Amino acid sequence: MSKPIIVQKFGGSSVANVERIKAVAQRIVETKTKKNNIVVVVSALGDTTDDLVQLAQNISEHPPEREMDMLMATGEQISCALVAMAIKELGQDAISFTGSQVGIVTDNTHTKAKIEKISARTIRKALRQNKIVIVAGFQGMTKNNEITTLGRGGSDLTAVALAIAIKAQVCEIFTDVEGIYTTDPRIVPEAKKIKEITFDEMLEMASLGAQVMQPRSIEVARRFNIPIHVRSSFSKEEGTMIIKNTQKLEDLAVSGITCNKAEAKITICNVPDKPGVAADIFTEISDAGVMVDTIVQNVGHTRQTDISFTVLKTDLAKALKATAVIAAKLKAGEVLHDKNIARISIVGSGMRSHRGVAAKMFQTLAEHKVNIEMITTSDISVSCIIGQTQAEKAVKALHKAFSLEE
Ligand code: ADP
Ligand code: ASP
Ligand code: MG
Protein backbone atom coordinates (compact mmCIF):
# COMPACT_ATOMS: atom_id res chain seq x y z
CA MET A 1 0.00 0.00 0.00
CA SER A 2 1.74 3.15 -1.12
CA LYS A 3 -0.17 5.91 0.66
CA PRO A 4 1.00 6.56 4.24
CA ILE A 5 -1.29 5.24 6.96
CA ILE A 6 -2.23 7.52 9.85
CA VAL A 7 -3.94 6.40 13.04
CA GLN A 8 -6.07 9.07 14.71
CA LYS A 9 -7.67 8.48 18.12
CA PHE A 10 -10.46 10.71 19.42
CA GLY A 11 -11.15 10.65 23.17
CA GLY A 12 -14.54 10.87 24.85
CA SER A 13 -14.61 14.66 25.11
CA SER A 14 -13.85 14.93 21.36
CA VAL A 15 -17.01 12.97 20.49
CA ALA A 16 -19.18 14.12 23.40
CA ASN A 17 -22.18 15.25 21.31
CA VAL A 18 -23.56 15.51 17.77
CA GLU A 19 -21.74 18.78 16.99
CA ARG A 20 -18.43 17.34 18.16
CA ILE A 21 -18.96 14.14 16.17
CA LYS A 22 -19.62 16.20 13.03
CA ALA A 23 -16.52 18.32 13.65
CA VAL A 24 -14.40 15.18 14.14
CA ALA A 25 -15.77 13.70 10.90
CA GLN A 26 -14.83 16.91 9.09
CA ARG A 27 -11.31 16.74 10.42
CA ILE A 28 -10.92 13.08 9.44
CA VAL A 29 -12.14 13.83 5.91
CA GLU A 30 -9.61 16.70 5.62
CA THR A 31 -6.76 14.32 6.50
CA LYS A 32 -8.10 11.74 4.07
CA THR A 33 -8.23 14.23 1.17
CA LYS A 34 -4.54 14.94 1.77
CA LYS A 35 -4.04 11.48 0.27
CA ASN A 36 -3.64 9.48 3.43
CA ASN A 37 -5.06 6.16 4.49
CA ILE A 38 -6.77 6.68 7.80
CA VAL A 39 -7.64 4.37 10.64
CA VAL A 40 -9.63 6.11 13.36
CA VAL A 41 -10.05 4.86 16.94
CA VAL A 42 -12.84 6.34 19.02
CA SER A 43 -13.70 6.35 22.72
CA ALA A 44 -17.24 6.28 24.05
CA LEU A 45 -19.22 9.53 23.91
CA GLY A 46 -18.34 11.92 26.77
CA ASP A 47 -18.80 10.24 30.16
CA THR A 48 -20.63 7.18 28.80
CA THR A 49 -18.25 4.65 30.39
CA ASP A 50 -18.58 6.28 33.84
CA ASP A 51 -22.37 6.27 33.42
CA LEU A 52 -22.35 2.58 32.48
CA VAL A 53 -20.20 1.73 35.52
CA GLN A 54 -22.62 3.66 37.73
CA LEU A 55 -25.58 1.87 36.17
CA ALA A 56 -24.02 -1.50 36.98
CA GLN A 57 -23.31 -0.41 40.55
CA ASN A 58 -26.95 0.57 41.01
CA ILE A 59 -27.79 -3.05 40.30
CA SER A 60 -24.95 -4.93 41.96
CA GLU A 61 -22.29 -3.94 44.49
CA HIS A 62 -19.78 -6.31 42.88
CA PRO A 63 -20.88 -6.85 39.28
CA PRO A 64 -19.23 -9.85 37.56
CA GLU A 65 -16.28 -8.64 35.50
CA ARG A 66 -17.35 -10.56 32.42
CA GLU A 67 -20.69 -8.73 32.44
CA MET A 68 -18.93 -5.40 33.06
CA ASP A 69 -17.00 -5.97 29.83
CA MET A 70 -20.19 -6.80 27.94
CA LEU A 71 -21.65 -3.55 29.26
CA MET A 72 -18.67 -1.20 28.88
CA ALA A 73 -17.79 -2.34 25.36
CA THR A 74 -21.15 -1.02 24.12
CA GLY A 75 -20.03 2.60 24.66
CA GLU A 76 -17.39 2.51 21.93
CA GLN A 77 -19.67 0.56 19.59
CA ILE A 78 -22.10 3.50 19.63
CA SER A 79 -19.46 6.13 18.90
CA CYS A 80 -17.73 4.25 16.06
CA ALA A 81 -21.04 3.74 14.24
CA LEU A 82 -22.00 7.42 14.65
CA VAL A 83 -18.61 8.68 13.43
CA ALA A 84 -18.82 6.41 10.37
CA MET A 85 -22.31 7.79 9.61
CA ALA A 86 -21.08 11.39 9.99
CA ILE A 87 -18.22 10.74 7.54
CA LYS A 88 -20.58 9.20 5.01
CA GLU A 89 -22.76 12.31 5.30
CA LEU A 90 -19.72 14.29 4.10
CA GLY A 91 -19.49 12.13 0.99
CA GLN A 92 -16.55 9.88 1.97
CA ASP A 93 -16.78 6.16 2.37
CA ALA A 94 -16.30 4.86 5.91
CA ILE A 95 -16.88 1.63 7.79
CA SER A 96 -16.99 0.97 11.53
CA PHE A 97 -15.73 -2.15 13.31
CA THR A 98 -15.72 -3.44 16.88
CA GLY A 99 -12.43 -4.55 18.42
CA SER A 100 -13.23 -8.21 17.77
CA GLN A 101 -14.15 -7.56 14.14
CA VAL A 102 -10.66 -6.17 13.46
CA GLY A 103 -9.06 -9.17 15.14
CA ILE A 104 -7.86 -7.69 18.45
CA VAL A 105 -7.25 -10.88 20.43
CA THR A 106 -6.70 -10.51 24.19
CA ASP A 107 -6.07 -12.70 27.22
CA ASN A 108 -8.93 -13.59 29.61
CA THR A 109 -8.36 -10.87 32.23
CA HIS A 110 -11.76 -9.19 32.10
CA THR A 111 -11.73 -5.37 32.56
CA LYS A 112 -7.91 -5.24 32.26
CA ALA A 113 -7.22 -7.55 29.33
CA LYS A 114 -3.83 -7.60 27.59
CA ILE A 115 -3.64 -7.63 23.79
CA GLU A 116 -2.06 -10.86 22.53
CA LYS A 117 -2.23 -10.26 18.81
CA ILE A 118 -3.92 -8.21 16.13
CA SER A 119 -4.72 -9.46 12.67
CA ALA A 120 -4.70 -6.41 10.40
CA ARG A 121 -6.42 -8.24 7.54
CA THR A 122 -9.90 -6.69 7.84
CA ILE A 123 -8.46 -3.18 8.15
CA ARG A 124 -6.14 -3.61 5.18
CA LYS A 125 -8.96 -4.90 3.03
CA ALA A 126 -11.18 -1.91 3.87
CA LEU A 127 -8.30 0.52 3.23
CA ARG A 128 -7.70 -1.08 -0.17
CA GLN A 129 -11.36 -0.33 -0.94
CA ASN A 130 -10.53 3.32 -0.15
CA LYS A 131 -12.68 3.36 2.99
CA ILE A 132 -11.93 5.28 6.16
CA VAL A 133 -11.81 2.68 8.91
CA ILE A 134 -13.33 3.49 12.30
CA VAL A 135 -12.50 1.12 15.15
CA ALA A 136 -14.19 0.97 18.56
CA GLY A 137 -11.44 1.61 21.12
CA PHE A 138 -10.90 -0.03 24.52
CA GLN A 139 -12.00 -3.55 23.56
CA GLY A 140 -11.02 -6.92 22.17
CA MET A 141 -12.04 -10.55 22.26
CA THR A 142 -10.51 -13.69 23.78
CA LYS A 143 -9.76 -16.82 21.76
CA ASN A 144 -13.06 -18.16 23.13
CA ASN A 145 -15.06 -15.24 21.71
CA GLU A 146 -15.51 -13.48 25.05
CA ILE A 147 -15.64 -9.68 24.86
CA THR A 148 -12.97 -7.95 26.96
CA THR A 149 -11.92 -4.38 27.73
CA LEU A 150 -8.37 -3.06 28.08
CA GLY A 151 -8.57 -1.03 31.31
CA ARG A 152 -9.83 2.54 31.71
CA GLY A 153 -8.41 4.91 29.12
CA GLY A 154 -7.76 1.83 26.94
CA SER A 155 -8.62 3.46 23.61
CA ASP A 156 -5.13 4.98 23.70
CA LEU A 157 -3.79 1.41 23.77
CA THR A 158 -6.04 0.35 20.89
CA ALA A 159 -4.67 3.25 18.82
CA VAL A 160 -1.01 2.49 19.55
CA ALA A 161 -1.45 -1.27 19.01
CA LEU A 162 -3.23 -0.73 15.68
CA ALA A 163 -0.54 1.75 14.60
CA ILE A 164 2.02 -1.01 15.17
CA ALA A 165 -0.05 -3.73 13.48
CA ILE A 166 -0.69 -1.73 10.29
CA LYS A 167 2.73 -0.03 10.29
CA ALA A 168 1.28 3.48 10.53
CA GLN A 169 3.51 6.49 10.01
CA VAL A 170 2.22 8.24 13.11
CA CYS A 171 -0.30 7.77 15.89
CA GLU A 172 -2.22 10.96 16.69
CA ILE A 173 -4.12 11.20 19.98
CA PHE A 174 -6.77 13.92 19.84
CA THR A 175 -8.02 15.16 23.20
CA ASP A 176 -9.44 18.24 24.95
CA VAL A 177 -6.05 19.87 25.71
CA GLU A 178 -3.37 20.97 23.24
CA GLY A 179 -0.82 18.40 24.32
CA ILE A 180 1.11 17.24 27.36
CA TYR A 181 1.55 20.06 29.87
CA THR A 182 3.99 20.55 32.75
CA THR A 183 1.04 19.65 34.98
CA ASP A 184 -2.73 19.23 34.64
CA PRO A 185 -3.86 22.57 33.14
CA ARG A 186 -7.16 22.13 34.97
CA ILE A 187 -5.26 22.52 38.27
CA VAL A 188 -2.62 25.06 37.20
CA PRO A 189 -3.79 27.36 34.37
CA GLU A 190 -0.17 28.60 34.00
CA ALA A 191 1.01 25.08 33.05
CA LYS A 192 3.13 25.09 29.88
CA LYS A 193 2.73 22.85 26.86
CA ILE A 194 5.74 20.55 26.40
CA LYS A 195 6.99 20.31 22.79
CA GLU A 196 8.66 16.92 23.12
CA ILE A 197 8.76 14.38 25.91
CA THR A 198 10.51 11.00 26.11
CA PHE A 199 8.63 7.72 26.44
CA ASP A 200 10.29 7.23 29.85
CA GLU A 201 9.12 10.54 31.27
CA MET A 202 5.63 10.17 29.80
CA LEU A 203 5.32 6.64 31.17
CA GLU A 204 6.32 7.87 34.62
CA MET A 205 3.87 10.81 34.46
CA ALA A 206 1.05 8.59 33.17
CA SER A 207 1.68 5.89 35.81
CA LEU A 208 1.70 8.53 38.54
CA GLY A 209 -1.68 9.88 37.49
CA ALA A 210 -1.44 12.25 34.48
CA GLN A 211 -4.70 11.03 33.04
CA VAL A 212 -4.01 12.35 29.54
CA MET A 213 -2.42 9.06 28.32
CA GLN A 214 -3.05 5.48 29.47
CA PRO A 215 0.28 4.14 30.90
CA ARG A 216 0.12 0.81 29.04
CA SER A 217 -0.22 2.58 25.70
CA ILE A 218 3.08 4.39 26.36
CA GLU A 219 4.77 1.17 27.40
CA VAL A 220 3.78 -0.45 24.09
CA ALA A 221 4.72 2.64 22.05
CA ARG A 222 8.14 2.65 23.73
CA ARG A 223 8.70 -1.05 23.03
CA PHE A 224 7.95 -0.60 19.30
CA ASN A 225 9.28 2.95 19.07
CA ILE A 226 6.04 4.41 17.67
CA PRO A 227 6.02 8.21 17.93
CA ILE A 228 2.79 9.63 19.41
CA HIS A 229 1.47 13.11 18.67
CA VAL A 230 -0.90 14.29 21.43
CA ARG A 231 -2.96 17.26 20.22
CA SER A 232 -6.28 19.03 20.52
CA SER A 233 -9.36 18.06 18.55
CA PHE A 234 -10.57 21.64 19.07
CA SER A 235 -7.64 23.39 17.33
CA LYS A 236 -5.10 22.92 14.54
CA GLU A 237 -2.09 23.72 16.78
CA GLU A 238 0.80 21.27 16.90
CA GLY A 239 0.72 19.34 20.17
CA THR A 240 3.35 17.28 22.00
CA MET A 241 5.52 14.57 20.43
CA ILE A 242 6.18 11.58 22.67
CA ILE A 243 9.41 10.08 21.33
CA LYS A 244 12.48 8.06 22.27
CA ASN A 245 14.94 10.94 22.65
CA THR A 246 14.23 14.65 22.69
CA GLN A 247 16.47 17.33 21.16
CA LYS A 248 17.34 18.81 24.58
CA LEU A 249 21.05 18.86 25.40
CA GLU A 250 20.50 18.31 29.11
CA ASP A 251 17.46 16.90 30.86
CA LEU A 252 15.51 19.09 33.26
CA ALA A 253 15.57 17.95 36.88
CA VAL A 254 11.79 18.25 36.97
CA SER A 255 9.78 18.42 33.77
CA GLY A 256 6.32 17.60 35.08
CA ILE A 257 4.13 17.33 38.16
CA THR A 258 1.24 14.92 38.63
CA CYS A 259 -1.63 14.59 41.06
CA ASN A 260 -3.49 11.32 41.60
CA LYS A 261 -6.59 11.06 43.76
CA ALA A 262 -7.47 7.50 42.81
CA GLU A 263 -5.83 5.78 45.78
CA ALA A 264 -6.78 5.08 49.40
CA LYS A 265 -4.52 4.28 52.36
CA ILE A 266 -4.86 1.29 54.68
CA THR A 267 -3.01 1.01 58.00
CA ILE A 268 -2.71 -2.14 60.11
CA CYS A 269 -1.81 -1.13 63.67
CA ASN A 270 0.32 -3.11 66.10
CA VAL A 271 1.52 -5.80 63.74
CA PRO A 272 3.95 -8.27 65.43
CA ASP A 273 7.47 -7.21 64.34
CA LYS A 274 8.97 -10.53 63.23
CA PRO A 275 10.16 -12.14 59.99
CA GLY A 276 7.52 -13.27 57.51
CA VAL A 277 4.75 -10.90 58.57
CA ALA A 278 4.96 -8.59 55.54
CA ALA A 279 5.00 -11.65 53.28
CA ASP A 280 1.83 -13.00 54.95
CA ILE A 281 -0.01 -9.68 54.67
CA PHE A 282 0.82 -8.91 51.07
CA THR A 283 0.27 -12.49 49.88
CA GLU A 284 -3.26 -12.39 51.32
CA ILE A 285 -3.94 -9.06 49.61
CA SER A 286 -2.45 -10.15 46.31
CA ASP A 287 -4.50 -13.37 46.40
CA ALA A 288 -7.59 -11.17 46.68
CA GLY A 289 -6.63 -9.70 43.28
CA VAL A 290 -5.58 -6.30 44.67
CA MET A 291 -2.49 -4.38 43.52
CA VAL A 292 -0.65 -2.53 46.27
CA ASP A 293 1.33 0.63 45.59
CA THR A 294 3.31 2.55 48.23
CA ILE A 295 4.16 0.57 51.39
CA VAL A 296 5.53 2.10 54.59
CA GLN A 297 6.56 0.09 57.62
CA ASN A 298 7.74 1.87 60.74
CA VAL A 299 10.60 0.59 62.86
CA GLY A 300 9.16 -1.27 65.82
CA HIS A 301 10.46 -0.36 69.27
CA THR A 302 7.98 -2.49 71.18
CA ARG A 303 8.04 -5.69 69.07
CA GLN A 304 5.04 -4.23 67.28
CA THR A 305 4.84 -1.94 64.28
CA ASP A 306 2.29 -0.18 62.04
CA ILE A 307 2.20 -1.02 58.32
CA SER A 308 0.54 1.36 55.86
CA PHE A 309 -0.01 0.88 52.13
CA THR A 310 -2.08 2.34 49.31
CA VAL A 311 -4.49 0.61 46.93
CA LEU A 312 -6.82 1.91 44.23
CA LYS A 313 -10.07 3.26 45.70
CA THR A 314 -11.94 0.92 43.38
CA ASP A 315 -10.19 -2.02 45.11
CA LEU A 316 -10.64 -0.68 48.66
CA ALA A 317 -13.55 -2.93 49.65
CA LYS A 318 -11.74 -6.06 48.43
CA ALA A 319 -8.50 -4.94 50.09
CA LEU A 320 -10.16 -4.17 53.46
CA LYS A 321 -11.80 -7.59 53.50
CA ALA A 322 -8.47 -9.36 52.89
CA THR A 323 -6.67 -7.10 55.38
CA ALA A 324 -9.19 -7.84 58.14
CA VAL A 325 -8.68 -11.58 57.63
CA ILE A 326 -4.88 -11.42 57.80
CA ALA A 327 -4.83 -8.89 60.68
CA ALA A 328 -6.94 -11.29 62.75
CA LYS A 329 -4.71 -14.25 61.85
CA LEU A 330 -1.59 -12.31 62.90
CA LYS A 331 -3.28 -11.02 66.08
CA ALA A 332 -2.54 -7.46 64.94
CA GLY A 333 -4.49 -4.40 66.10
CA GLU A 334 -7.03 -2.18 64.40
CA VAL A 335 -7.25 -1.76 60.60
CA LEU A 336 -7.74 1.90 59.60
CA HIS A 337 -8.35 3.40 56.19
CA ASP A 338 -8.38 6.84 54.60
CA LYS A 339 -9.93 7.67 51.23
CA ASN A 340 -9.01 11.35 51.41
CA ILE A 341 -5.44 11.15 50.21
CA ALA A 342 -3.64 12.34 47.08
CA ARG A 343 -0.34 11.33 45.52
CA ILE A 344 1.68 14.34 44.37
CA SER A 345 4.73 13.52 42.23
CA ILE A 346 7.55 15.35 40.52
CA VAL A 347 8.97 13.70 37.37
CA GLY A 348 12.14 14.39 35.40
CA SER A 349 14.92 12.42 33.72
CA GLY A 350 17.44 15.01 34.93
CA MET A 351 16.78 13.87 38.50
CA ARG A 352 19.40 11.19 37.90
CA SER A 353 22.11 13.85 37.73
CA HIS A 354 20.74 16.71 39.90
CA ARG A 355 21.14 16.78 43.69
CA GLY A 356 18.66 18.19 46.20
CA VAL A 357 15.50 17.72 44.11
CA ALA A 358 13.63 15.68 46.74
CA ALA A 359 14.77 18.06 49.50
CA LYS A 360 13.37 21.00 47.54
CA MET A 361 10.05 19.20 47.14
CA PHE A 362 9.81 18.53 50.89
CA GLN A 363 10.84 22.12 51.76
CA THR A 364 8.19 23.53 49.42
CA LEU A 365 5.48 21.34 50.94
CA ALA A 366 6.63 22.31 54.45
CA GLU A 367 6.51 26.03 53.60
CA HIS A 368 2.89 25.52 52.53
CA LYS A 369 2.06 23.57 55.71
CA VAL A 370 1.40 20.36 53.80
CA ASN A 371 1.99 17.26 55.92
CA ILE A 372 3.66 14.33 54.13
CA GLU A 373 2.18 10.96 55.10
CA MET A 374 4.27 8.65 52.89
CA ILE A 375 7.19 9.06 50.45
CA THR A 376 8.37 6.91 47.54
CA THR A 377 11.00 7.48 44.90
CA SER A 378 12.08 6.02 41.56
CA ASP A 379 15.15 7.09 39.58
CA ILE A 380 13.13 9.78 37.75
CA SER A 381 10.38 10.67 40.26
CA VAL A 382 9.57 11.48 43.87
CA SER A 383 6.03 10.99 45.21
CA CYS A 384 4.42 12.15 48.43
CA ILE A 385 1.08 10.99 49.80
CA ILE A 386 -0.70 13.96 51.39
CA GLY A 387 -4.22 14.94 52.48
CA GLN A 388 -6.52 15.32 49.49
CA THR A 389 -7.79 18.77 50.48
CA GLN A 390 -4.23 20.11 50.11
CA ALA A 391 -3.56 18.54 46.70
CA GLU A 392 -4.23 21.56 44.48
CA LYS A 393 -2.28 23.90 46.75
CA ALA A 394 0.68 21.49 46.72
CA VAL A 395 0.72 21.08 42.92
CA LYS A 396 0.59 24.86 42.40
CA ALA A 397 3.39 25.46 44.91
CA LEU A 398 5.65 22.79 43.37
CA HIS A 399 4.97 24.00 39.82
CA LYS A 400 6.21 27.42 40.90
CA ALA A 401 9.11 26.16 43.02
CA PHE A 402 10.55 24.18 40.09
CA SER A 403 10.07 27.18 37.73
CA LEU A 404 7.85 25.23 35.35
CA GLU A 405 5.79 28.24 34.32
CA GLU A 406 8.82 29.98 32.84
P1 ADP B 1 -9.80 11.85 26.45
O1 ADP B 1 -11.26 11.91 26.73
O2 ADP B 1 -9.42 12.58 25.21
O3 ADP B 1 -9.22 10.48 26.53
P2 ADP B 1 -8.76 12.41 29.10
O4 ADP B 1 -9.78 13.07 29.96
O5 ADP B 1 -8.49 10.96 29.29
O6 ADP B 1 -9.12 12.73 27.59
O7 ADP B 1 -7.37 13.18 29.23
C1 ADP B 1 -7.29 14.56 29.02
C2 ADP B 1 -7.23 15.29 30.35
O8 ADP B 1 -6.03 14.93 31.05
C3 ADP B 1 -7.12 16.79 30.23
O9 ADP B 1 -8.39 17.40 30.15
C4 ADP B 1 -6.35 17.22 31.48
O10 ADP B 1 -7.18 17.81 32.44
C5 ADP B 1 -5.80 15.92 32.04
N1 ADP B 1 -4.37 16.00 32.32
C6 ADP B 1 -3.77 15.58 33.48
N2 ADP B 1 -2.47 15.83 33.46
C7 ADP B 1 -2.18 16.40 32.28
C8 ADP B 1 -0.97 16.88 31.67
N3 ADP B 1 0.21 16.82 32.31
N4 ADP B 1 -1.05 17.41 30.43
C9 ADP B 1 -2.23 17.47 29.78
N5 ADP B 1 -3.40 17.04 30.30
C10 ADP B 1 -3.40 16.51 31.53
N1 ASP C 1 -14.23 4.78 27.30
C1 ASP C 1 -13.16 4.15 28.03
C2 ASP C 1 -12.92 4.89 29.35
O1 ASP C 1 -13.60 5.86 29.63
C3 ASP C 1 -11.89 4.04 27.23
C4 ASP C 1 -11.26 5.36 26.81
O2 ASP C 1 -11.92 6.39 26.88
O3 ASP C 1 -10.11 5.34 26.40
O4 ASP C 1 -12.10 4.48 30.10
MG1 MG D 1 -8.19 9.25 27.98
Side-chain angles (χ1 to χ4, degrees):
M1 216 167 295
S2 51
K3 283 193 266 177
I5 307 179
I6 294 182
V7 172
Q8 297 192 322
K9 176 253 169 180
F10 292 89
S13 49
S14 306
V15 290
N17 54 43
V18 170
E19 271 74 58
R20 293 298 310 144
I21 291 174
K22 287 183 176 170
V24 160
Q26 187 70 48
R27 186 152 197 163
I28 294 167
V29 168
E30 276 166 28
T31 316
K32 167 78 180 167
T33 44
K34 286 186 196 141
K35 306 232 176 318
N36 291 300
N37 272 314
I38 308 189
V39 175
V40 174
V41 174
V42 284
S43 292
L45 271 55
D47 296 327
T48 303
T49 312
D50 289 334
D51 296 343
L52 291 172
V53 171
Q54 190 54 56
L55 201 56
Q57 261 151 18
N58 293 346
I59 290 192
S60 159
E61 204 183 331
H62 302 294
E65 289 183 332
R66 178 192 183 275
E67 304 308 330
M68 280 310 290
D69 277 352
M70 287 293 283
L71 180 69
M72 289 193 293
T74 61
E76 272 69 10
Q77 196 170 340
I78 294 173
S79 50
C80 73
L82 291 175
V83 170
M85 287 177 203
I87 293 173
K88 282 191 163 238
E89 278 297 308
L90 296 173
Q92 282 279 350
D93 202 3
I95 182 163
S96 67
F97 292 113
T98 63
S100 59
Q101 282 178 310
V102 293
I104 300 180
V105 179
T106 73
D107 67 9
N108 302 316
T109 329
H110 281 292
T111 75
K112 298 181 203 69
K114 292 222 157 57
I115 298 179
E116 287 182 342
K117 66 170 193 244
I118 300 185
S119 141
R121 211 176 328 134
T122 310
I123 294 183
R124 286 191 184 281
K125 188 171 163 208
L127 290 178
R128 272 198 302 274
Q129 292 165 346
N130 206 25
K131 291 183 204 288
I132 298 173
V133 175
I134 321 290
V135 180
F138 178 52
Q139 53 177 270
M141 194 182 249
T142 68
K143 280 186 218 98
N144 301 322
N145 300 338
E146 292 284 340
I147 290 177
T148 50
T149 61
L150 309 175
R152 296 301 306 269
S155 301
D156 294 335
L157 179 59
T158 306
V160 171
L162 284 179
I164 294 163
I166 56 177
K167 301 196 173 50
Q169 202 178 40
V170 63
C171 179
E172 294 185 312
I173 303 286
F174 287 88
T175 183
D176 59 354
V177 282
E178 285 196 358
I180 308 298
Y181 282 69
T182 46
T183 191
D184 189 339
R186 272 194 284 213
I187 301 179
V188 183
E190 297 80 21
K192 285 271 173 295
K193 184 166 81 184
I194 302 170
K195 201 163 161 251
E196 294 176 336
I197 187 166
T198 61
F199 290 125
D200 287 346
E201 282 180 320
M202 190 65 237
L203 180 56
E204 196 79 4
M205 278 181 73
S207 308
L208 291 169
Q211 159 204 0
V212 56
M213 287 297 299
Q214 192 219 28
R216 278 170 54 204
S217 69
I218 304 297
E219 232 165 15
V220 174
R222 178 174 69 176
R223 191 167 312 132
F224 289 86
N225 198 12
I226 283 277
I228 299 177
H229 187 179
V230 180
R231 57 194 308 188
S232 167
S233 65
F234 298 80
S235 90
K236 295 272 159 82
E237 289 294 312
E238 291 283 304
T240 302
M241 288 306 300
I242 309 175
I243 45 183
K244 195 167 167 199
N245 291 308
T246 62
Q247 310 257 322
K248 274 183 285 162
L249 274 178
E250 295 260 14
D251 289 325
L252 290 174
V254 174
S255 44
I257 295 171
T258 62
C259 170
N260 185 358
K261 296 181 183 168
E263 289 167 89
K265 185 175 80 169
I266 298 179
T267 302
I268 316 179
C269 305
N270 302 328
V271 179
D273 193 12
K274 59 179 192 202
V277 166
D280 289 344
I281 293 174
F282 293 106
T283 305
E284 184 85 27
I285 292 168
S286 159
D287 288 349
V290 175
M291 288 242 293
V292 169
D293 205 315
T294 303
I295 301 174
V296 169
Q297 177 179 346
N298 295 328
V299 181
H301 292 293
T302 55
R303 294 212 204 103
Q304 285 187 329
T305 179
D306 293 349
I307 294 184
S308 296
F309 52 93
T310 63
V311 297
L312 282 178
K313 274 187 191 137
T314 47
D315 283 341
L316 182 62
K318 260 197 284 186
L320 282 174
K321 212 166 143 192
T323 309
V325 171
I326 190 68
K329 254 192 231 165
L330 295 170
K331 298 199 170 42
E334 232 184 326
V335 174
L336 310 171
H337 72 274
D338 183 359
K339 284 201 236 177
N340 297 314
I341 59 162
R343 174 187 300 273
I344 307 297
S345 314
I346 54 173
V347 176
S349 302
M351 231 173 258
R352 294 189 182 107
S353 53
H354 285 74
R355 269 185 310 117
V357 181
K360 186 166 174 177
M361 178 182 197
F362 306 150
Q363 267 161 17
T364 307
L365 294 177
E367 278 159 20
H368 289 82
K369 310 247 172 317
V370 175
N371 186 40
I372 302 172
E373 297 177 23
M374 296 165 122
I375 299 170
T376 49
T377 60
S378 81
D379 61 340
I380 62 165
S381 71
V382 183
S383 298
C384 296
I385 301 286
I386 63 169
Q388 205 172 97
T389 50
Q390 293 185 303
E392 272 79 20
K393 175 170 87 172
V395 171
K396 284 187 180 132
L398 291 167
H399 196 263
K400 199 159 196 166
F402 287 101
S403 310
L404 292 178
E405 46 210 57
E406 283 160 20

